Amino acid sequence: MSLLDAARDVRENAYAPYSHFKVGAAVRAASGTVYVGCNVENVAYPEGTCAEAGAIAAMVAAGETEIIEVCVIADSPTPVTPCGGCRQKLAEFSRGEVTVRMATVDGPEQVVTVADLLPGAFGLGHLGQGHGEKG
Ligand code: THU
């Protein structure tokens, strides 16, 4: 199954009774395994979580920490872009050149990289640790 198909399928399970905006995300980890997530909203709105966060949590729970490919899909007029917080979450586990395929249910797509999405990312270098590989 392609990453796009996985994201499209999991989107059906999104819990979005407040925004009615269902999002599906799929990440391929270094092992080749695909992890999926959907947005899960809450009546206390800030407690809702994004699709990307769910996919990343599933990957980490399975014992992986390296993303090599990302796909996000929603029923939006233009390709859905990860929110600011999710860009930082993706950057935590991805090299800058990792591609993010942003898709729509109706077809239009755009492919960017994690570095494109988060220029000037906050990273280890800012903490004065290591060589700043994470940004
Ligand atoms: N949402 C995601 O799950 N991922 C994104 O990349 C953008 C936004 C969700 C959060 C909320 O449940 C709904 O979409 C509307 O903002």
Side-chain angles (χ1 to χ4, degrees), residues 16 19 21 23 38-41 49-52 72 80-83 86:
S19 73
F21 188 73
V23 184
C38 56
N39 52 332
V40 181
E41 298 184 346
T49 51
C50 286
E52 297 89 330
V72 189
V80 62
T81 66
C83 77
C86 285

Side-chain angles (χ1 to χ4, degrees), residues 79-95:
V80 62
T81 66
C83 77
C86 285
R87 293 174 190 214
Q88 186 77 41
K89 290 181 177 73
L90 290 169
E92 181 73 20
F93 300 104
S94 312
R95 298 176 66 87

Side-chain angles (χ1 to χ4, degrees), residues 5-130:
D5 287 340
R8 190 187 285 116
D9 280 2
V10 72
R11 179 182 165 275
E12 299 296 328
N13 296 335
Y15 178 75
Y18 307 107
S19 73
H20 304 290
F21 188 73
K22 293 185 165 200
V23 184
V27 299
R28 191 182 305 282
S31 69
T33 302
V34 171
Y35 299 94
V36 296
C38 56
N39 52 332
V40 181
E41 298 184 346
N42 192 283
V43 64
Y45 294 176
E47 298 304 323
T49 51
C50 286
E52 297 89 330
I56 290 169
M59 177 191 75
V60 174
E64 298 209 59
T65 55
E66 178 78 28
I67 294 173
I68 60 170
E69 201 182 349
V70 180
C71 181
V72 189
I73 187 169
D75 186 8
S76 49
T78 55
V80 62
T81 66
C83 77
C86 285
R87 293 174 190 214
Q88 186 77 41
K89 290 181 177 73
L90 290 169
E92 181 73 20
F93 300 104
S94 312
R95 298 176 66 87
E97 61 266 28
V98 165
T99 57
V100 181
R101 183 176 181 182
M102 307 184 303
T104 58
V105 167
D106 288 341
E109 289 189 10
Q110 190 184 350
V111 179
V112 296
T113 66
V114 167
D116 291 333
L117 289 175
L118 197 62
F122 178 78
L124 274 179
H126 297 102
L127 293 178
Q129 296 174 14

